Amino acid sequence: MADPGRATFHWRGHSLELLAERALWDPQRSLLLVADLHLGKAEVLQTFGVPLPSDGDATTLNALLSLVHRCRPKTVMVLGDLIHSRLGLTEELRQKIRALPEL
């Protein structure tokens, strides 16, 4: 039975899996590709007066860590939009990003 959270397709003779978590898994290379994390987005919007609660990006980072623990990739590649804006790049967020490779 197929996993409803995955869709496999072939590209240039290579099997890739689209994951429900909006990621691409390459099992042959043990490579996890993600994009559009937009860390610090709530803090940026708050600076413009948008009354948005901030969880310190815990939801996004916990989802990423859960995916990494499930797939156990050798490499995680962020394709773009890791940070929403320089305004959201707080010292706390810098520390979290520095800790990611160890986690």
Side-chain angles (χ1 to χ4, degrees), residues 7-92:
T8 302
F9 71 98
H10 300 281
W11 183 68
R12 296 185 180 189
H14 201 70
S15 291
L16 300 170
E17 296 177 21
L18 293 171
L19 305 179
E21 296 87 353
R22 301 180 324 170
L24 182 69
W25 172 237
D26 181 341
Q28 293 164 309
R29 292 189 176 116
S30 189
L31 173 66
L32 181 65
L33 297 117
V34 298
D36 298 323
L37 298 177
H38 287 274
L39 300 175
K41 184 175 184 175
E43 290 75 11
V44 170
L45 294 175
Q46 289 167 0
T47 64
F48 292 107
V50 177
L52 186 65
S54 175
D55 67 354
D57 296 303
T59 301
T60 301
L61 292 172
N62 287 338
L64 176 60
L65 291 173
S66 176
L67 187 57
V68 166
H69 286 287
R70 191 177 89 224
C71 293
R72 298 285 185 201
K74 288 182 186 173
T75 305
V76 175
M77 186 178 297
V78 179
L79 301 174
D81 295 328
L82 173 65
I83 310 286
H84 186 72
S85 164
R86 282 185 284 192
L87 293 173
L89 190 53
T90 63
E91 184 54 37
E92 179 185 357

